[in-house]
Amino acid sequence: MIYRIVNKGKKFAYLVKNREDFIALRNTKENLDNLAKARKGDEKAKAQLVQFAYNIGVLNSSVLAGCKSIGSYFFHDVDCYDAEQSAAMAQQILAKKDEIGLMLLEKSASGGYHLVCKRLPGTTILENQVRIATILQIEMDTNVHDLQRVVFSTSGDENDLLYLNDELFEEPMTAEECEAEYARLKERERKGEEQVPAGAKKARKHYKPWLEELGTNFANLRELINNATEDKNKIRDNSCNSCQNKTVDERVRFVMEAVLKAKGLEKSDFTDIGGRHNAVKIFLSGANQLLSKEEANGALAELMPEHWADENIQACVADFYDKYYNPTQKLTKDQEGIFTQSRRLKENESSQPTLELDANTPMHELTKLFASETPPAIPKDVPKLVKAVTCNTPDKYKATVAQAMFPGLMAYPKKLNFVYIDNQVRELRANCLIVAGTGTGKDSCTKQPLTRIIADMKARDEENRKRLKEFNDEFNSKASNKQKPQRPADLIIQTIKSDITKAALVQRMDEAQGAPLYVRINELEQWDKIEGSTGRGNQFTTLKLCDDEGNDYGTDRAGTQSVMGSGSLHLNWNANTTTAKAIKYFRYVLTDGPISRLCLATIPEEEIGAEISVFGTYDEKYDAALKPYIENLKQATGTIDCKEARKLARKLKDECADFARLSQDRVFDNLSHRALVIAFRKACLLYAANGMKWEKSIETFCRWSLFYDLYIKMTVFGDLIRHADDDIQTSKRGPQNLLVMLPTNFTLDDAKRVRQQQGYSTDTYHTKKMIRSWIYREYVTQETEHSFKKALITEGKK
């Protein structure tokens, strides 16, 4: 189906019913004018082109947000920036239109192509994109498989709209079937059951799936199945040739052994003259949903090396995969167990090592960091206070606890400020939001360390709560004509409850005498009670004030007994949530400031059935290790100029700015500003806890903490912020270093091409401006007027 997308504050989808309406929308004067400008590099005009969506099924509502209905077709994007190559590519696509199930082919505004093809039932958009890219042998972008993908149109002219099948205006599934299919596919994604190579799961603009084993297997499997009825002998020959030198990998061997066990087969059954044909059929009945045809042949070659290529055996294999292979078929309980464990073996083989950042990690390694599937690992050498706090924490949770420890610790100093690189003073304000999956241990891993950190503060607060209750009881017991007692002046209560009212919060703030308040929230949604607002009306004013020095917070009341007060709200907090809830919670304020003020942490998911992590003992010995640092924090006050912290902040600022210039990623640049302040505050806290003494490991730790925080922000919110700012949904995992994409010797046109690939303006002014900044920073040198050469350091060489 085809939907026109219209933005009215949020996006609405309107069904396009026929070819005439579709072409009319594309050929309006406004759209044609914008298309002409867009093809000259005008990005603003491109953003005004008519937009369509092709992945969606039958909708019960026109609101695009929250759509959970997948259709029978899917969108596929092909980049091309050379006119001659583009024409050849169109012929290549049209020549295989039946094989790929082509429904629509149009030239994009940038010179590439948009394809809409039939989706194989039961398979995800990404699986189908891998299949199409492999059949066509044309690079794909791994970032465009989201359901709500919106596509810029071109014109209805035959030079732009090269092919259109009217079937595309109909959807064979009902609305209920579309929603059920979406739910099934999301479950497959969640369980890691997509049949795609490992590389397809990474953010790659120019990915070639046919160079990876599973991509080739998937495409060949479909090709063999499609041709089976026409030429079985040819299939058998191709299959045999591809398997002759095939080495069975660990995953295939595991599946083979598990199926043999489940079916009660012995290896001798495959060499028995009278029974090997039946043994093959029994084996295939358990394996053909778990292994590709080539993999099954590889297993048979190991089980029966002298007979697997026999004509009758290969005919049996071909018939099984022709008649019984069905990717939508529900796996049996035995098959589910075998698949889950075998997939884990595959992931372990292809998993990338986690990047560990230290003070000497070169800046160009940040490209690898943001392309990684996991955040950077916490350094082995950490400051003494971090080591003391995390000493009883399993390795899996050390990074989480190391991020979460700061809000409570920063609640101890009273009126302590540090001079930042902009010469403004920064208070030790802190928060930490843990964003991780359900059941990963968000609360349990931090509960003991955070409880022990604030134990002194909590003990005093409980005593003062008792005093406050006694005062209230006495006050309320006095008759109106009797003299009322005066409220005690030293009722400092720093640890507040999440259901506190604004009046009570003002009271706590006023009585704290400049000391920070602190709250620990199990679920992020409880912040609504502090904020006093929910849903779309929640603009997180209080949350933003928590991070702002010199804010003005308070209440004015007329009643004699009403709470009146004003001042600077200083509230540190810890909270937990899941990724889905975090996105939903902040969806209306993506660019309004709350997200940049957060300090994020996460917890890696473990394999199903993993062993339980064992914690150390939190006892008097643990408390004694923390006590010297907490005592130092209690005594710390005044405005401090820590030259080492300022030097570190300047160094980190330059790193972020350099990477922003190289990546041209404005979201990263904007998020990095406050993230730098957060990292600076942590360095200052560690310095103060050390008795105003600097440790070399503070630099390594705070650099890691900065990029760990930014990695999670970009992963969870990066695409959403881009979408909110530009009204265009893109899917870059993280910023890309544009200089890395260029050859050592490059021209002005090369730079324009790279900018175009990343969706940036390609006009000469902006391209030259970018290169001039690179020359100034000594990333490149100028050879001639329009040619340049990269410096060795930008290529990772010294």
Side-chain angles (χ1 to χ4, degrees), residues 630-665:
I630 291 176
E631 290 302 319
N632 284 338
L633 292 174
K634 287 179 181 178
Q635 301 303 318
T637 190
T639 299
I640 310 296
D641 186 1
C642 177
K643 294 180 181 178
E644 294 90 348
R646 290 183 74 177
K647 182 180 178 181
L648 172 61
R650 171 57 63 185
K651 178 181 177 181
L652 294 177
K653 188 271 174 194
D654 290 343
E655 279 199 57
C656 287
D658 282 345
F659 194 65
R661 293 185 193 100
L662 290 169
S663 67
Q664 295 289 290
D665 194 300

Side-chain angles (χ1 to χ4, degrees), residues 218-275:
F218 189 84
N220 284 350
L221 174 63
R222 297 308 306 165
E223 185 175 356
L224 293 177
I225 290 173
N226 290 338
N227 294 334
T229 56
E230 300 176 10
D231 194 351
K232 285 190 177 181
N233 290 329
K234 181 179 178 181
I235 292 174
R236 185 179 69 250
D237 293 341
N238 286 345
S239 177
C240 293
N241 290 337
S242 66
C243 293
Q244 274 180 335
N245 299 314
K246 171 78 174 165
T247 301
V248 175
D249 63 25
E250 187 179 357
R251 187 190 73 85
V252 174
R253 186 170 288 106
F254 176 87
V255 172
M256 178 184 76
E257 298 285 354
V259 171
L260 293 180
K261 184 177 180 180
K263 295 294 184 180
L265 291 169
E266 299 289 342
K267 292 185 179 180
S268 60
D269 294 330
F270 293 86
T271 56
D272 179 61
I273 296 175

